[in-house]
Amino acid sequence: QVQLVESGGGLVQPRESLRLSCAASGTIFSINSMGWYRQAPGKQRDLVATITRGGSTNYADSVKGRFTISGDNAKDTVYLQMNSLKPEDTAVYYCNFRIRTSIRSSIYDYWGQGTQVTVSS
């Protein structure tokens, strides 16, 4: 069983910064990628950023240049540094790990519980 616990959300003003963290625990053989997704009220869950085992990153156009994703493989943890926050960034943010639990297993998606980020004056 794999569990993801995320933290760092909150209420901030526009142009301020926030840092999200997400740590995985349980039976983990390997982590192929880690990422962050967000879901605003009435909207679908959208990709924010991902990082692969090899360190390659990918960002949504809406956050490119403002957000930075990073990972710590030794701690099975992914971070999202969010700078220059805008009201449109308001959403529930979910971390995602693509994990193999054994050498013979397929890769499965695991999700955090979600953390609220609200950007408002």
Side-chain angles (χ1 to χ4, degrees), residues 8-14 16-18 20 41 82 85-93 115-121:
L11 173 63
V12 297
Q13 296 182 346
E16 293 185 341
S17 298
L18 211 55
L20 306 183
M82 303 184 292
L85 283 162
K86 305 174 180 179
E88 63 199 56
D89 295 318
T90 296
V92 177
Y93 284 69
T115 184
Q116 177 70 47
V117 172
T118 302
V119 185
S120 180
S121 298

Side-chain angles (χ1 to χ4, degrees), residues 91-106:
V92 177
Y93 284 69
Y94 299 89
C95 60
N96 168 267
F97 281 43
R98 304 206 73 198
I99 295 174
R100 294 177 65 173
T101 56
S102 78
I103 194 169
R104 300 175 183 175
S105 298
S106 298

Side-chain angles (χ1 to χ4, degrees), residues 31-50:
I31 300 174
N32 272 37
S33 67
M34 302 179 287
W36 291 93
Y37 295 72
R38 66 186 181 187
Q39 187 168 17
K43 304 293 184 179
Q44 282 201 350
R45 187 176 300 184
D46 293 324
L47 169 73
V48 176
T50 60

